[in-house]
Amino acid sequence: MTTSRQGIDSILRIAWKTVSRKMFRNIVLAVAVALLVSLLVFALLFNRAVNDDIEAASRKLGADIVLVPADAMHKAEEFILESKKKEFYMDQEVFASVAALPEIKEATFHIYLETLDSGCCGIIASQVIAYDPATDFVVSPWFRDNPPPLKEGEVYVGSYVYEYLGLIDTTILFNHEVRVVGHLHETGTGMDNGVFMRIADLDKITESLSGKYRPGNISIIFLKVKEGVAVEDAARTIQFLHPNIGIMTRGSIGADVRNTLRDMMKIFSITIVISCALAVLLAWSTFTALANERRREVGILRAIGAHRSHIMKMFLSEAAIISLLGGIIGILIGNYLIHYLAGNFDLLSKLGAYASISLLNVIFSIAAMLAGMAVCLAGAAIPIIRLARLEPLLP
């Protein structure tokens, strides 16, 4: 065991000395590996960050099925995923009919109201959401510090709105003074930008300030199905009853974003394949030149008793050292891009997605480095094998 370890240490020392002798040429190959690894790391973490954010947002709603007007599905997704203010309505009779279905365990609805365009002059541009505390299961799980039940003239606010208000506990909403009595934890959904009022207080908003909203309208319905009921079956039943209603399930929320992400990943894949081909060619050309330069050295080593396996280990160690350096640099570059520069990507900034430091992300980074090293070693293998087959120099 000790002899074997000493032999490996000796090979690695020789390989490092050889690599450092031709530093500039080897740096070029290391940079190529670094660029490939950084691209792999960025693509993997980018894909995971977006998918995780969509999945988290859909889970945080607490609903198995979400119903909206058919022409407002895109608007609803923009509010849920991107916190964009939206206003859309459907007849409240839809809620009464679906809530009575035997497949449904719980049902609640929200009404979205405009703010700035409706005369709200004391609060930031937030989504005013009227909801029914008696049936709610979407908002209440996110309450911070168990706030008191809402009374007339009182509201809850989302985490972003709370940060904006600071210590202010009264503000103006629809030309009425309201008192902020509680706020929500950060949800990562549009609720962070929400101001939550009771549906019972809607009759106090004048028609001139209520925008497009009219009594009897609702915006969005949240449904939980009973245990043992397939979500898809319940969705089909609802679609049969209301063919003009848009239906989203947990798996379908963010479908447009997922499709965009798939297209982006196709572009990433093509770029990665091209980068792999270039890295292979560069490794092949680098070690072909190295083989031509060191034929005499290899011949002498063979003449004094070195086996072909010794030659291959020595030169593959050089390739491994170069690719390892490039891989480490690539991991650093890839993580820098996803953590500090990805905010400039419209998709990530809208979703609020980011790649956190986690065990899975570390695994992705290491996997990308190993893939980059494998590409480099594959490119170097052919000239190294050919070099190892040289016959010993005759005296």
Side-chain angles (χ1 to χ4, degrees), residues 149-286:
L150 286 180
K151 299 177 182 178
E152 182 179 343
E154 295 179 341
V155 297
Y156 303 132
V157 295
S159 60
Y160 176 77
V161 180
Y162 179 74
E163 289 178 4
Y164 175 84
L165 290 176
L167 299 177
I168 299 174
D169 60 359
T170 58
T171 187
I172 303 297
L173 185 65
F174 295 118
N175 286 349
H176 290 277
E177 186 176 277
V178 295
R179 183 167 175 261
V180 179
V181 296
H183 64 282
L184 279 60
H185 289 278
E186 183 177 355
T187 68
T189 71
M191 291 194 295
D192 292 338
N193 288 60
V195 176
F196 301 90
M197 61 181 292
R198 300 185 310 170
I199 288 175
D201 293 334
L202 285 175
D203 58 357
K204 299 175 178 58
I205 302 175
T206 63
E207 186 171 316
S208 62
L209 296 178
S210 61
K212 298 177 183 179
Y213 168 74
R214 295 294 178 268
N217 289 341
I218 61 175
S219 297
I220 188 168
I221 299 172
F222 301 96
L223 304 173
K224 281 186 179 181
V225 301
K226 292 180 179 178
E227 187 175 350
V229 176
V231 173
E232 292 74 15
D233 293 340
R236 279 193 291 270
T237 300
I238 295 169
Q239 193 73 77
F240 178 78
L241 289 176
H242 300 283
N244 295 324
I245 292 296
I247 300 178
M248 296 183 291
T249 61
R250 285 189 180 184
S252 66
I253 291 176
D256 291 342
V257 177
R258 293 179 199 269
N259 291 334
T260 301
L261 181 61
R262 277 195 290 270
D263 291 339
M264 294 179 68
M265 292 309 296
K266 289 177 183 177
I267 297 173
F268 276 131
S269 298
I270 294 171
T271 307
I272 289 169
V273 169
I274 294 173
S275 299
C276 284
L278 292 174
V280 167
L281 290 174
L282 186 56
W284 178 82
S285 62
T286 298

Side-chain angles (χ1 to χ4, degrees), residues 53-357:
D53 191 80
I54 295 173
E55 291 295 333
S58 61
R59 287 196 302 270
K60 289 169 182 176
L61 295 175
D64 299 310
I65 300 173
V66 178
L67 307 182
V68 295
D71 59 353
M73 290 184 67
H74 185 66
K75 292 181 179 180
E77 286 190 349
E78 285 187 333
F79 171 67
I80 293 170
L81 299 176
E82 305 175 23
S83 304
K84 288 186 175 180
K85 286 196 310 169
K86 296 297 172 185
E87 185 189 32
F88 47 85
Y89 302 106
M90 58 184 167
D91 199 306
Q92 190 169 345
E93 291 183 1
V94 176
F95 174 76
S97 64
V98 298
L101 290 174
E103 297 92 341
I104 302 304
K105 178 182 178 181
E106 294 182 68
T108 190
F109 65 88
H110 289 175
I111 299 173
Y112 296 159
L113 305 171
E114 289 186 355
T115 52
L116 291 183
D117 293 338
S118 300
C120 171
C121 53
I123 201 167
I124 59 172
S126 304
Q127 182 76 67
V128 177
I129 302 172
Y131 81 110
D132 183 0
T135 62
D136 172 68
F137 57 84
V138 177
V139 180
S140 56
W142 297 98
F143 286 152
R144 182 186 288 271
D145 300 329
N146 297 318
L150 286 180
K151 299 177 182 178
E152 182 179 343
E154 295 179 341
V155 297
Y156 303 132
V157 295
S159 60
Y160 176 77
V161 180
Y162 179 74
E163 289 178 4
Y164 175 84
L165 290 176
L167 299 177
I168 299 174
D169 60 359
T170 58
T171 187
I172 303 297
L173 185 65
F174 295 118
N175 286 349
H176 290 277
E177 186 176 277
V178 295
R179 183 167 175 261
V180 179
V181 296
H183 64 282
L184 279 60
H185 289 278
E186 183 177 355
T187 68
T189 71
M191 291 194 295
D192 292 338
N193 288 60
V195 176
F196 301 90
M197 61 181 292
R198 300 185 310 170
I199 288 175
D201 293 334
L202 285 175
D203 58 357
K204 299 175 178 58
I205 302 175
T206 63
E207 186 171 316
S208 62
L209 296 178
S210 61
K212 298 177 183 179
Y213 168 74
R214 295 294 178 268
N217 289 341
I218 61 175
S219 297
I220 188 168
I221 299 172
F222 301 96
L223 304 173
K224 281 186 179 181
V225 301
K226 292 180 179 178
E227 187 175 350
V229 176
V231 173
E232 292 74 15
D233 293 340
R236 279 193 291 270
T237 300
I238 295 169
Q239 193 73 77
F240 178 78
L241 289 176
H242 300 283
N244 295 324
I245 292 296
I247 300 178
M248 296 183 291
T249 61
R250 285 189 180 184
S252 66
I253 291 176
D256 291 342
V257 177
R258 293 179 199 269
N259 291 334
T260 301
L261 181 61
R262 277 195 290 270
D263 291 339
M264 294 179 68
M265 292 309 296
K266 289 177 183 177
I267 297 173
F268 276 131
S269 298
I270 294 171
T271 307
I272 289 169
V273 169
I274 294 173
S275 299
C276 284
L278 292 174
V280 167
L281 290 174
L282 186 56
W284 178 82
S285 62
T286 298
F287 279 86
T288 296
L290 182 147
N292 291 333
E293 293 173 0
R294 298 171 64 182
R295 292 171 66 89
R296 181 175 177 80
E297 175 187 336
V298 171
I300 293 172
L301 289 173
R302 293 281 282 121
I304 62 176
H307 296 291
R308 289 178 178 176
S309 61
H310 296 148
I311 303 301
M312 289 191 63
K313 286 178 183 178
M314 184 173 67
F315 285 95
L316 285 175
S317 295
E318 294 181 24
I321 289 172
I322 295 169
S323 58
L324 178 62
L325 292 174
I328 293 172
I329 296 171
I331 287 177
L332 296 176
I333 294 174
N335 278 276
Y336 174 80
L337 290 174
I338 197 69
H339 282 285
Y340 298 105
L341 298 184
N344 295 323
F345 281 77
D346 191 53
L347 182 63
L348 287 184
S349 61
K350 284 181 177 179
L351 292 177
Y354 65 96
S356 59
I357 298 175

